Amino acid sequence: PKQGDYFMAQDDTADHWRDKSIMRAILDFERIPKIRSFTADTAQNLLSQGKGYIDLPQAVTRMVPVEVVREFFGFKGIEAQDLIDWSYWNQVDAFHNQSFDEQPDAAEIVSERENAIKKVGINLAIVVAKRAIPARLGMGPDDPVTRLLKLSFSGALKFPIAKVILNLGGLLIGTVETTSFTLCNALAELFERPDMLAEAQRVAREEAPEAVDAFVLEALRFRPAFPWFFRTCHTRTELSGGTEHARWVEPGTTVLVMGHSAMQDPASVPDPTKFNVTRSQADNFVLGQGLHECLGRPIAKPMLGEIMRQILRLPNLEKAGPIVTKRGVPESFPIRWSA
């Protein structure tokens, strides 16, 4: 009955996988060094405004990815708060407002999501309209908006303007709120491990920027933003076939995939209870795996690592309160440091 249900029910269609391949192809992976540098400058600037105290979701972990999206994805001209609302309400409705979540304000969440879609949808349509003629002429900035328009106009694939706008909106949904959630969880995990926090701070100050990325992924292995994922079964399928745990799953069944449990499974993760930043990330499901790997993984990893690096470089860093969640996502996580 809701957008989230529809999204998940359509998740494994041929069109979905084709569109995902297209979106992965048009992302600015070649600009990752610039994205990392921009992320560092933006995070550093926002943290400096805190003067020794800041609430991360409200002032940093949402704002940095919004600015990355506006600078590199082609969303300039759209207000930051509108972009945050789009990402927030779509994430909450899709991942935390299913029938089994029992949110007390479920109807309000749906309504807010619909309003956010209308507002940003209009803004995206304006952006696309302004870019259309330059794109037809082979001009315009080299970003996902222009690349998708050129693809649409080429006729090489069936990719109408409506789909351009829809997929641009998907880029935003998967960038802002997810980044904020994962960063808050990763930092909270490091605060619970003083030795690892101290080592991460040393690395953030003394080693190459990329060295911090492993601390983020390993922390999220213990405290992922999404400990499980849900999918709808379309074909009668046997799980754990040939074992005592074998079960048949019937079409229409909602399946919960326990990624958090899998990342703590000694059958595939050596010494899983040890915080080890040198371990292989082959069985780390934080950014998905296989066909369901995060679309922007090559961009997400350095962006997460760089925001975390700037936080870890703050002198005498400490948490000023716990993570406070609302509707399933972090709304507050204050930190303090010596300004």
Side-chain angles (χ1 to χ4, degrees):
K2 300 190 291 83
Q3 178 261 358
D5 295 328
Y6 174 81
F7 175 81
M8 288 303 167
Q10 298 298 313
D11 196 53
D12 290 309
T13 63
D15 282 350
H16 169 83
W17 294 117
R18 186 199 64 177
D19 291 357
K20 189 170 183 178
S21 297
I22 291 171
M23 294 305 295
R24 182 173 281 116
I26 59 89
L27 283 175
D28 296 326
F29 294 148
E30 72 278 11
R31 301 179 71 186
I32 286 175
K34 289 185 178 180
I35 291 175
R36 180 155 212 143
S37 177
F38 179 86
T39 298
D41 292 342
T42 305
Q44 194 174 63
N45 178 56
L46 290 171
L47 288 166
S48 69
Q49 295 175 28
K51 299 179 180 179
Y53 178 93
I54 211 162
D55 195 345
L56 289 172
Q58 300 301 322
V60 178
T61 56
R62 283 175 177 149
M63 288 305 301
V64 175
V66 161
E67 293 307 319
V68 169
V69 163
R70 295 210 295 182
E71 181 69 20
F72 293 96
F73 289 3
F75 288 75
K76 286 183 177 179
I78 303 179
E79 292 295 324
Q81 190 57 54
D82 287 343
L83 296 175
I84 289 173
D85 288 346
W86 170 286
S87 179
Y88 174 83
W89 291 110
N90 276 277
Q91 282 273 346
V92 168
D93 192 31
F95 296 102
H96 305 285
N97 196 33
Q98 296 300 312
S99 56
F100 47 79
D101 288 313
E102 299 182 351
Q103 291 280 15
D105 55 351
E108 179 187 351
I109 292 171
V110 174
S111 176
E112 291 288 354
R113 187 258 305 161
E114 291 173 344
N115 291 334
I117 285 177
K118 291 176 184 177
K119 185 181 293 185
V120 176
I122 291 171
N123 279 284
L124 281 177
I126 293 172
V127 169
V128 167
K130 288 180 178 179
R131 297 286 199 87
I133 293 178
R136 277 190 180 275
L137 297 175
M139 302 166 61
D142 187 22
D143 59 29
V145 174
T146 297
R147 292 178 182 182
L148 282 177
L149 284 171
K150 288 180 178 179
L151 175 64
S152 178
F153 296 148
S154 73
L157 291 171
K158 188 177 179 181
F159 210 84
I161 296 299
K163 186 164 281 191
V164 171
I165 295 173
L166 178 67
N167 279 276
L168 286 172
L171 274 182
L172 175 62
I173 293 170
T175 302
V176 180
E177 201 60 43
T178 302
T179 298
S180 179
F181 201 158
T182 52
L183 279 167
C184 288
N185 273 24
L187 185 59
E189 185 64 27
L190 287 175
F191 276 134
E192 294 296 319
R193 299 171 179 271
D195 291 345
M196 285 297 105
L197 174 63
E199 176 61 11
Q201 290 174 303
R202 183 198 67 76
V203 168
R205 296 187 184 111
E206 300 177 6
E207 297 188 14
E210 295 80 6
V212 174
D213 300 357
F215 284 88
V216 177
L217 288 176
E218 182 68 349
L220 290 171
R221 187 173 67 83
F222 289 93
R223 197 183 299 224
F226 300 100
W228 46 265
F229 303 90
F230 58 96
R231 293 290 182 268
T232 301
C233 176
H234 294 289
T235 305
R236 190 169 188 262
T237 305
E238 185 181 23
L239 299 180
S240 300
T243 74
E244 61 180 312
H245 306 294
R247 293 291 187 277
W248 283 97
V249 181
E250 302 299 331
T253 303
T254 297
V255 180
L256 301 184
V257 183
M258 310 303 293
H260 191 189
S261 174
M263 290 188 291
Q264 301 296 323
D265 187 350
S268 43
V269 180
D271 200 3
T273 61
K274 181 180 179 181
F275 194 105
N276 179 8
V277 296
T278 66
R279 72 169 68 250
S280 167
Q281 298 298 331
D283 288 312
N284 189 313
F285 301 111
V286 168
L287 293 173
Q289 280 279 18
L291 293 175
H292 287 280
E293 183 180 62
C294 172
L295 172 66
R297 182 186 184 112
I299 293 174
K301 185 179 175 183
M303 185 169 65
L304 290 168
E306 193 56 49
I307 298 172
M308 180 65 82
R309 188 172 80 95
Q310 297 305 320
I311 294 172
L312 293 173
R313 287 161 63 91
L314 298 171
N316 300 315
L317 172 68
E318 62 181 10
K319 63 178 179 179
I323 294 179
V324 177
T325 62
K326 185 178 181 180
R327 303 187 184 96
V329 300
E331 281 297 325
S332 177
F333 188 20
I335 60 171
R336 65 167 64 96
W337 65 95
S338 299

